[in-house]
Amino acid sequence: MQPDTHPVTHEADAEAADAEAADTAEVVAAVLAASRLIVGMSARALADVDDSLTLPQLRTLVVLADRPPMKQAELASELGVNPSTVLRMADRLAAAGLMERQPNPDSRREQLVVLTRAGSDLVHRVMDRRSEEVEALVGRLTPADRAGLVHGLRALTEAVPDTYPDSPDHPGLRLG
């Protein structure tokens, strides 16, 4: 066995790895805190507009607002839930007049789900309310903090391309 001739390098590498781990932990903690803040803003916006709906129901409506009529199985996949969960959710949202089922012209055995006008209007009102709250929060930041936030959030969202599309009138929501 050959003796280690570069102990300083190993020590420096270990210190760099520890610093990177600490930096990563700090970023993860900040992202999680921001996530809780944004979820809270979404919950308040939804409660202000329609306190009978849940955040998962809103998320379903937002996905439908961004797509043409889609199969329930596709919606389940997009939401990352079981098809039976989407079936129950679709029943509730259809009963509330926020979405409807349509026959699939390509298959008589399948139905497509689509937002109703009322569902689309609700999504827009909630997103508008959430945007107002975010705007008020951002308005309390210094210009330098806003610039840093934009840079950091863009880097974060660009790390997962095409997952969260944008629209000019509702950032974070592409409305067809």
Side-chain angles (χ1 to χ4, degrees), residues 2-14:
Q2 188 172 356
D4 189 356
T5 58
H6 301 298
V8 174
T9 302
H10 292 293
E11 200 173 291
D13 288 347

Side-chain angles (χ1 to χ4, degrees), residues 10-32:
H10 292 293
E11 200 173 291
D13 288 347
E15 288 176 13
D18 288 346
E20 185 174 335
D23 183 52
T24 298
E26 183 179 10
V27 171
V28 167
V31 169
L32 290 174

Side-chain angles (χ1 to χ4, degrees), residues 3 13 28 31 38 40 42 51 58 79 102 110 130 138 149 153:
D13 288 347
V28 167
V31 169
I38 291 168
S42 295
D51 64 359
L58 174 64
L79 293 170
Q102 301 173 342
E110 294 177 328
R130 187 177 70 172
V138 169
L149 185 61
L153 291 175

Side-chain angles (χ1 to χ4, degrees), residues 148-172:
L149 185 61
V150 167
H151 176 75
L153 291 175
R154 281 190 179 147
L156 187 65
T157 56
E158 288 170 3
V160 186
D162 300 327
T163 301
Y164 302 101
D166 264 341
S167 74
D169 58 338
H170 289 90

Side-chain angles (χ1 to χ4, degrees), residues 60 63-65 67-76 79 86-87 89-91 93-94 98-104 110-116:
T60 300
V63 167
L64 290 173
R67 308 289 190 295
M70 61 192 312
K71 298 174 190 175
Q72 290 182 135
E74 293 171 334
L75 180 58
L79 293 170
V86 166
L87 180 64
M89 183 91 63
D91 287 343
L93 294 172
L98 300 172
M99 61 151 287
E100 62 185 15
R101 293 180 174 99
Q102 301 173 342
N104 185 345
E110 294 177 328
Q111 291 186 326
L112 302 176
V113 290
V114 63
L115 277 188
T116 62

